[in-house]
Amino acid sequence: MREALEEKGIRCSVEALVWVNVSETITHVNGDHAQYLDHTFRCTYLDGEPYVADDESLEVRWFPIDRLPPMAPSLVERIMTPVEHDGPTRLT
């Protein structure tokens, strides 16, 4: 909830932790290697108009789930997992 407010300017409530995943190892532009423990939550929008509120994003917009813009399959999976979630937290 804090991240959504700090980084995108919206308030939300968390319904469920739906997926815990370890990312592939990546190399940052400075040469550092990193691997991330990703937590994917299903949230409900409460209020606020989204805006770019950090230095990690260029643009923030809402999209209907059936008209998402082109993106990497891994990002589509992170969006669809909470939409389709039913049952225990997915662990991979």
Side-chain angles (χ1 to χ4, degrees), residues 3 14 16-23 36-43 78 81-82 89-92:
E3 292 292 313
V14 173
L17 172 62
V18 299
W19 188 13
V20 177
N21 183 44
V22 177
S23 73
Y36 296 96
L37 180 62
D38 291 326
H39 297 79
T40 302
F41 297 89
R42 182 174 55 216
C43 298
R78 287 193 70 181
T81 296
T89 302
R90 176 179 163 189
L91 304 172
T92 57

Side-chain angles (χ1 to χ4, degrees), residues 1-14 41 43-44 46 51 53-54:
M1 295 182 315
R2 185 189 76 223
E3 292 292 313
L5 184 59
E6 288 177 2
E7 296 183 8
K8 303 301 169 253
I10 64 164
R11 286 189 334 108
C12 66
S13 62
V14 173
F41 297 89
C43 298
T44 298
L46 298 175
Y51 62 93
D54 63 13

Side-chain angles (χ1 to χ4, degrees), residues 2-77:
R2 185 189 76 223
E3 292 292 313
L5 184 59
E6 288 177 2
E7 296 183 8
K8 303 301 169 253
I10 64 164
R11 286 189 334 108
C12 66
S13 62
V14 173
E15 292 180 21
L17 172 62
V18 299
W19 188 13
V20 177
N21 183 44
V22 177
S23 73
E24 298 293 325
T25 302
I26 64 168
T27 303
H28 290 284
V29 293
N30 66 359
D32 288 350
H33 297 274
Q35 193 170 25
Y36 296 96
L37 180 62
D38 291 326
H39 297 79
T40 302
F41 297 89
R42 182 174 55 216
C43 298
T44 298
Y45 166 81
L46 298 175
D47 61 32
E49 286 298 318
Y51 62 93
V52 175
D54 63 13
D55 60 356
E56 296 175 356
S57 302
L58 300 174
E59 185 177 19
V60 178
R61 290 192 288 162
W62 297 112
F63 290 92
I65 200 70
D66 61 346
R67 292 197 319 260
L68 295 173
M71 66 183 81
S74 61
L75 297 176
V76 173
E77 185 177 19

